[in-house]
Amino acid sequence: MTTPSLEIKDLAFAYPDGNQALFGVNLTVGQGERVALLGPNGAGKTTLVMHMNGIHPAAHGEVKVAGQLIDASDKANLRSIRSKVGIVFQDPDDQLFMPTVGEDVAFGPYNMGVRGDELNRVVIEALELVGMTEFKDRPPHHLSFGQRRRVAVATVLAMKPEILVLDEPSSNLDPASRRELADILRSLAITIVMVTHDLPYALELCERAVILSGGIIVADKQTREILGDKNLLQAHRLELPVGFSI
Amino acid sequence: MHQLPSHVKIIAALFFIFVSIATPISTWGAFIGYLIVILITAKVAKIPLFTLGKRALIEIPFIFFAILMPFFGKGEIVNVGPFDLYKDGIEAALSIVAKGTIGVLTAVILSTSTTAREILRGLERLKLPRMMVQIATFMLRYVNVISDEMERMKIARESRGFEATGIKHWKILATVAASLFIRSYERGERIHLAMLSRGYAGELPHEESRHVPLVRWAIALSAPLVALLILLITTGMDK
């Protein structure tokens, strides 16, 4: 059996103000798997994501990425972890901070020590994957929201991560951009963890889904099975869109 | 002109401004000479005079104070039409207007022929502290995002029947400014997180410095050198 891309064991976390967000999360994601992380607002989804690349250090329990234990006190370890876990944040304007698209995509690989022609090649490759090559020299604020989201995906793909974590990838997208992004995500041979409230999107893209509620994983099954369980969904403030049935 | 490396242009512009500041206002000819050099440079850079003039209007508030100077002061008095003006004041005012105009025109040519991004790159190559360049880079990137946000907040206020008309509305506008600040601050935190997630360690990517051929330097520096020559000749003639 290959090493899982992500292994979370007994992870618990409380914010400095005493507010506990995670109460012992266990989650294993195999290589190449696409998993939807579902859950109501305030369930701790974002907190969990922040543990996947060591932004929040694990207070209790452990997180392993591709077999490597995250050790937040070791800078070299964090650097290597962050090159393995690519997080696409919800608001592309938070993620795209460089003056041009190309420079932004170069930001991650540059921090990993890639330079010169190699850097240029990596940037072009990543932009090709999301179909945004011709926008390389444009400033991000001239792009549409959907295009910015795609560039945000490219910025982390450029780091050749082991695992891609997306926070609400379909939010604020028009239907066509939403589908285009789905096509792009499907075309990537990479492990994906997708945080979303968009249940049909989860069904479309992910074989497996987990529900995080009240700081623990309360369900971990096939997406179809979870979305078909009306009582389970209701208990955790999740709902399928009106008229949608499985 | 547009192709010259930005740091070379910045040096040339600064040099030119220094020469004009160093020129005593009594050497009239020099300033006319500088103006001609500027106009030629603008011509070479294919900047229409109208654009140049329009962008230079930013100087007006500064000139406003210069205009008041001849009315206050002491010493020799000169009669100009109905006004009694002080000679020192007139000279000081003329000096501010002339040097200010030269400086503004130079800056306008620099900023018109160079993108903001390139100017930042130039400053970086000139070894301006990295932190300052990074802050300016972020400002450049987010000024639109924040002004859009401000616009949306304004529309939302107006949709609920509020329009700021006078001093009694300042309290509300202050709250708006505060919430805009908090939002920007929080956005800053999110951006920082996104940067850390991609391995940020205090350095933004920048191009490795390329060697600039001497010819380029010569082209860029020709304008300030001509200015220096004009200064030397005109002050020489005075003696």
Side-chain angles (χ1 to χ4, degrees):
Chain A
M1 200 189 125
T2 49
T3 330
S5 289
L6 180 69
E7 243 184 312
I8 300 175
K9 270 190 203 142
D10 293 327
L11 181 67
F13 178 79
Y15 280 96
D17 63 2
N19 194 1
Q20 187 158 358
L22 301 177
F23 293 83
V25 170
N26 288 291
L27 177 66
T28 304
V29 180
Q31 229 170 44
E33 240 187 322
R34 287 200 292 262
V35 178
L37 178 57
L38 314 173
N41 289 337
K45 299 189 299 287
T46 305
T47 313
L48 182 58
V49 166
M50 292 298 153
H51 277 92
M52 293 181 190
N53 72 348
I55 296 269
H56 286 331
H60 177 266
E62 59 178 42
V63 182
K64 275 186 189 169
V65 176
Q68 187 183 3
L69 184 72
I70 299 184
D71 175 7
S73 59
D74 176 3
K75 275 200 166 163
N77 173 283
L78 274 187
R79 174 176 292 254
S80 125
I81 290 292
R82 282 173 188 168
S83 72
K84 285 180 185 158
V85 182
I87 301 186
V88 180
F89 290 86
Q90 195 172 350
D91 185 349
D93 275 329
D94 292 342
Q95 186 133 15
L96 308 177
F97 45 81
M98 294 294 282
T100 66
V101 166
E103 285 173 274
D104 209 290
V105 177
F107 177 80
Y110 183 92
N111 288 328
M112 300 299 143
V114 183
R115 295 287 186 281
D117 289 345
E118 171 72 7
L119 184 60
N120 213 8
R121 202 177 54 73
V122 170
V123 170
I124 299 276
E125 249 177 44
L127 284 173
E128 265 169 9
L129 285 173
V130 300
M132 291 293 291
T133 327
E134 68 266 45
F135 295 91
K136 183 167 175 272
D137 296 316
R138 297 271 289 275
H141 58 263
H142 287 173
L143 271 52
S144 75
F145 195 87
Q147 291 171 328
R148 271 181 283 167
R149 171 82 33 90
R150 272 149 69 182
V151 173
V153 172
T155 63
V156 297
L157 288 181
M159 299 173 75
K160 305 217 173 3
E162 161 91 18
I163 173 167
L164 186 63
V165 182
L166 300 133
D167 192 359
E168 293 289 355
S170 63
S171 63
N172 288 328
L173 293 185
D174 59 35
S177 312
R178 181 174 172 277
R179 178 184 45 75
E180 283 161 8
L181 184 65
D183 291 342
I184 290 166
L185 294 179
R186 243 195 307 264
S187 74
L188 303 170
I190 188 173
T191 312
I192 291 182
V193 172
M194 190 170 105
V195 176
T196 189
H197 293 296
D198 185 345
L199 302 185
Y201 210 54
L203 179 66
E204 196 183 333
L205 282 168
C206 306
E207 270 274 283
R208 178 180 157 208
V210 299
I211 297 181
L212 182 73
S213 186
I216 51 167
I217 301 278
V218 294
D220 182 348
K221 284 184 258 187
Q222 292 221 320
T223 311
R224 184 165 289 276
E225 212 178 317
I226 286 193
L227 299 196
D229 187 342
K230 218 173 166 197
N231 293 331
L232 176 68
L233 291 184
Q234 220 165 37
H236 302 290
R237 299 182 59 83
L238 295 170
E239 287 170 19
L240 285 168
V242 176
F244 189 90
S245 62
I246 295 177
Chain B
M1 183 66 185
H2 290 257
Q3 279 88 43
L4 287 175
S6 52
H7 61 298
V8 176
K9 282 195 272 190
I10 294 170
I11 296 259
L14 278 180
F15 187 11
F16 190 86
I17 292 173
F18 277 134
V19 171
S20 95
I21 294 172
T23 312
I25 188 63
S26 51
T27 49
W28 266 109
F31 286 97
I32 295 169
Y34 299 157
L35 194 63
I36 293 170
V37 173
I38 286 180
L39 293 180
I40 293 173
T41 319
K43 184 84 187 152
V44 174
K46 298 197 178 68
I47 300 171
L49 286 185
F50 180 70
T51 316
L52 192 62
K54 205 171 64 184
R55 297 200 177 172
L57 289 181
I58 191 176
E59 192 192 356
I60 285 176
F62 300 97
I63 295 183
F64 179 74
F65 287 100
I67 289 172
L68 294 178
M69 289 178 78
F71 294 94
F72 306 97
K74 51 189 172 194
E76 211 176 315
I77 293 181
V78 196
N79 287 309
V80 183
F83 303 110
D84 287 346
L85 303 178
Y86 294 96
K87 188 163 177 284
D88 288 350
I90 294 177
E91 276 191 0
L94 282 178
S95 169
I96 289 178
V97 171
K99 292 175 182 180
T101 310
I102 299 283
V104 167
L105 289 175
T106 315
V108 168
I109 290 183
L110 176 66
S111 64
T112 312
S113 67
T114 323
T115 62
R117 175 65 190 133
E118 267 309 313
I119 290 182
L120 287 176
R121 285 215 182 101
L123 291 173
E124 194 172 72
R125 274 180 234 130
L126 292 174
K127 306 278 178 251
L128 195 76
R130 193 179 280 161
M131 195 59 76
M132 285 169 75
V133 178
Q134 288 190 8
I135 290 172
T137 310
F138 282 112
M139 197 174 77
L140 186 66
R141 165 67 180 90
Y142 284 101
V143 70
N144 286 295
V145 174
I146 291 174
S147 69
D148 283 356
E149 204 160 318
M150 199 162 81
E151 192 58 33
R152 284 198 303 273
M153 286 163 78
K154 179 166 168 266
I155 292 171
R157 284 198 305 278
E158 283 170 4
S159 309
R160 288 192 285 158
F162 173 86
E163 211 151 337
T165 48
I167 197 162
K168 62 180 186 295
H169 289 135
W170 283 12
K171 194 178 164 206
I172 290 171
L173 292 182
T175 328
V176 170
S179 76
L180 199 61
F181 172 77
I182 305 260
R183 280 202 202 192
S184 307
Y185 179 82
E186 285 180 341
R187 184 185 289 280
E189 297 232 299
R190 291 199 302 274
I191 295 165
H192 186 66
L193 275 186
M195 291 171 73
L196 286 180
S197 300
R198 286 197 277 154
Y200 176 70
E203 193 187 3
L204 290 184
H206 55 79
E207 288 167 38
E208 277 99 281
S209 51
R210 279 165 303 172
H211 179 69
V212 179
L214 276 180
V215 189
R216 290 283 176 86
W217 278 103
I219 295 173
L221 291 181
S222 60
L225 286 175
V226 169
L228 189 62
L229 205 64
I230 294 173
L231 171 64
L232 293 178
I233 292 173
T234 46
T235 47
M237 283 193 311
D238 273 1
K239 277 167 194 164

